[in-house]
């Protein structure tokens, strides 16, 4: 029980507003503590067999509540979504609902763990959860992703030669290994309260980062669907705040200075003879965005992914 009390104290230290004088904050703090106490009293030990780990209750408590960096490598597996049509009590569902809230509340805010989690593929594991039908889980996935990227104080994503290229590779790879951009765009409607604005900020961060880091001329072509989403982001949305409307307009004005990715691709294809079209590609289309590689010294295919692997960037129309 003492260990659990220590964990709750850690949450209060990270979330200083929890338990404030207002009745609402006290109720929220009590609800969080009660939910976590249930996980502490009955950890998903049996359900963790889906990750091929045979553990006892105390080991599972340690992994969920007080994980080390080695445990971070397992966390992407804990966030796996149950198969379509699986019952509510599916083991993966039980593991997910135990691990994600704790990751959101505590571990994503602790850089040693967060760094290991990202290197283990944690960002990739969060993307499908950002489209989760359960808006409670979706909110935790989106906010965790934001904590690890846009709001991350442990790394300067734009820095060069700081020894963290493997981390940047994990973020860059989302452009062609996941449906990150379409998922963020989809959250402009039907998301959790504030979710649309958070996802818009993440779009601004990711596209601006890609453009600044991986284009030679600071030009990034986004799909027409993305441009249309920016243009109409707050239309018929009475809950949108002024900052959200302003950011959407800024993004539209910024990226609309160039043709859409589809128009750019058509123009390049029309300008080439058939023989050239068959053997060369002058730009890549990644998750609805087209980019031209930066100089070789900073190109993503030169970024080591722990094992010195090169990055394959197949053409993808994720935002179309």
């Amino acid at each position: 029980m003492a260990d659990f009390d220590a964990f709750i104290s850690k949450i209060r230290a990270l979330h200083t507003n929890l338990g404030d004088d207002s009745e609402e904050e006290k109720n929220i703090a009590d609800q969080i503590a009660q939910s976590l106490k249930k996980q502490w009293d009955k950890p998903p030990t049996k359900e963790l067999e889906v990750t091929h780990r045979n553990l006892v209750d105390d080991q599972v408590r340690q992994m969920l509540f007080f994980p080390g960096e080695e445990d971070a490598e397992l966390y992407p597996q804990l966030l796996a979504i149950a198969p379509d049509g699986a019952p509510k009590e599916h083991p993966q569902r039980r593991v997910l609902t135990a691990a994600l809230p704790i990751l959101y509340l505590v571990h994503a805010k602790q850089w040693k763990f967060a760094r290991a989690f990202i290197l283990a593929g944690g960002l990739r594991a969060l993307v499908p959860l950002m489209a989760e039908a359960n808006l409670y889980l979706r909110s935790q996935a989106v906010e965790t992703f934001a904590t690890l990227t846009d709001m991350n104080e442990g790394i300067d994503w734009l820095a060069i030669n700081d020894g963290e290229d493997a981390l940047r590779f994990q973020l860059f790879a989302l452009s062609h290994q996941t449906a990150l951009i379409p998922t963020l765009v989809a959250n402009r409607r039907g998301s959790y309260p504030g979710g649309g604005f958070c996802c818009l900020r993440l779009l601004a961060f990711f596209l601006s980062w890609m453009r600044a880091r991986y284009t030679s001329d600071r030009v990034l072509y986004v799909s027409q669907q993305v441009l249309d989403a920016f243009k109409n982001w707050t239309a018929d949305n009475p809950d949108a705040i002024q900052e959200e409307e302003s950011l959407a307009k800024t993004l539209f004005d910024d990226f609309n200075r160039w043709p859409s990715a589809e128009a750019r691709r058509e123009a390049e294809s029309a300008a080439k003879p058939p023989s050239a079209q068959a053997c060369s590609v002058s730009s890549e289309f990644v998750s609805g965005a087209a980019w031209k590689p930066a100089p070789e010294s900073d190109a993503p295919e030169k970024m080591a992914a722990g094992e010195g692997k090169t990055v394959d960037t197949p053409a993808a129309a994720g935002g179309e």
Side-chain angles (χ1 to χ4, degrees):
M1 186 62 180
D3 287 343
F4 180 76
D5 290 340
F7 181 76
I8 293 298
S9 296
K10 182 186 293 188
I11 292 178
R12 293 185 184 280
L14 290 169
H15 302 268
T16 55
N17 62 314
L18 285 181
D20 283 349
D21 292 337
S22 72
E23 194 66 29
E24 180 181 5
E25 292 294 349
K26 287 181 180 179
N27 289 337
I28 292 174
D30 289 344
Q31 290 171 15
I32 291 173
Q34 290 170 14
S35 176
L36 293 174
K37 185 63 166 59
K38 290 179 181 178
Q39 302 293 356
W40 179 274
D41 290 340
K42 190 177 180 181
T45 304
K46 184 177 185 301
E47 290 83 356
L48 270 169
E49 293 176 2
V50 300
T51 63
H52 311 290
R53 292 284 293 265
N54 294 317
L55 304 171
V56 299
D57 284 355
D58 282 343
Q59 290 175 308
V60 176
R61 289 190 187 98
Q62 183 273 325
M63 181 178 63
L64 287 176
F65 291 87
F66 302 101
E69 292 180 53
E70 67 282 0
D71 295 314
E73 298 177 6
L74 177 65
Y75 258 70
Q77 299 177 49
L78 304 186
L79 302 182
I81 297 177
D84 289 341
K88 184 178 180 181
E89 60 274 12
H90 190 279
Q92 283 179 248
R93 189 75 171 178
R94 170 79 166 89
V95 172
L96 169 63
T97 55
L100 181 57
I102 301 174
L103 175 66
Y104 157 67
L105 286 168
V106 178
H107 307 325
K109 303 177 188 301
Q110 299 179 313
W111 179 234
K112 275 192 174 182
F113 177 93
R115 183 180 184 277
F117 174 74
I118 294 172
L119 289 174
L123 295 178
R124 187 167 61 251
L126 286 168
V127 172
L129 289 168
M130 293 158 70
E132 167 66 37
N134 182 319
L135 296 185
Y136 180 71
L137 293 177
R138 185 192 300 197
S139 69
Q140 293 176 341
V142 171
E143 300 292 338
T144 298
F145 190 94
T147 296
L148 295 171
T149 56
D150 182 30
M151 299 186 294
N152 194 335
E153 297 181 356
I155 180 174
D156 179 354
W157 290 103
L158 290 173
I160 297 175
N161 299 325
D162 62 353
E164 295 289 17
D165 278 353
L167 280 173
R168 294 185 183 89
F169 170 77
Q170 291 293 329
L171 181 59
F172 169 80
L174 301 181
S175 64
H176 57 280
Q177 291 181 357
T178 73
L180 174 62
I181 293 177
T183 297
L184 293 173
V185 169
N187 270 278
R188 79 184 186 93
R189 290 289 183 274
S191 191
Y192 64 96
F197 188 25
C198 187
C199 287
L200 182 64
R201 292 199 310 268
L202 287 172
L203 271 171
F205 161 77
F206 186 71
L207 293 176
S208 298
W209 176 73
M210 287 279 289
R211 178 170 62 184
R213 180 89 184 184
Y214 301 120
T215 64
S216 58
D217 51 7
R218 298 298 187 264
V219 175
L220 188 73
Y221 302 93
V222 301
S223 73
Q224 189 60 51
Q225 182 176 347
V226 173
L227 290 173
D228 291 343
F230 289 155
K231 184 177 181 179
N232 302 306
W233 194 272
T234 59
D236 302 322
N237 181 7
D239 297 324
I241 59 177
Q242 179 60 43
E243 291 86 350
E244 185 175 0
E245 182 177 356
S246 177
L247 177 57
K249 183 180 185 304
T250 297
L251 289 169
F252 176 75
D253 291 343
D254 187 6
F255 287 97
N256 195 46
R257 290 180 292 165
W258 303 286
S260 69
E262 299 91 335
R264 173 72 174 181
R265 179 166 51 197
E266 291 175 3
E268 288 190 343
S269 297
K272 294 177 183 176
S275 58
Q277 292 180 33
C279 66
S280 68
V281 178
S282 62
S283 63
E284 297 287 342
F285 293 81
V286 183
S287 291
W291 61 282
K292 295 181 180 179
E296 183 171 306
S297 62
D298 194 33
E301 58 268 27
K302 298 297 182 181
M303 295 169 60
E307 302 174 353
K309 294 180 180 179
T310 59
V311 180
D312 182 21
T313 56
E320 298 179 16

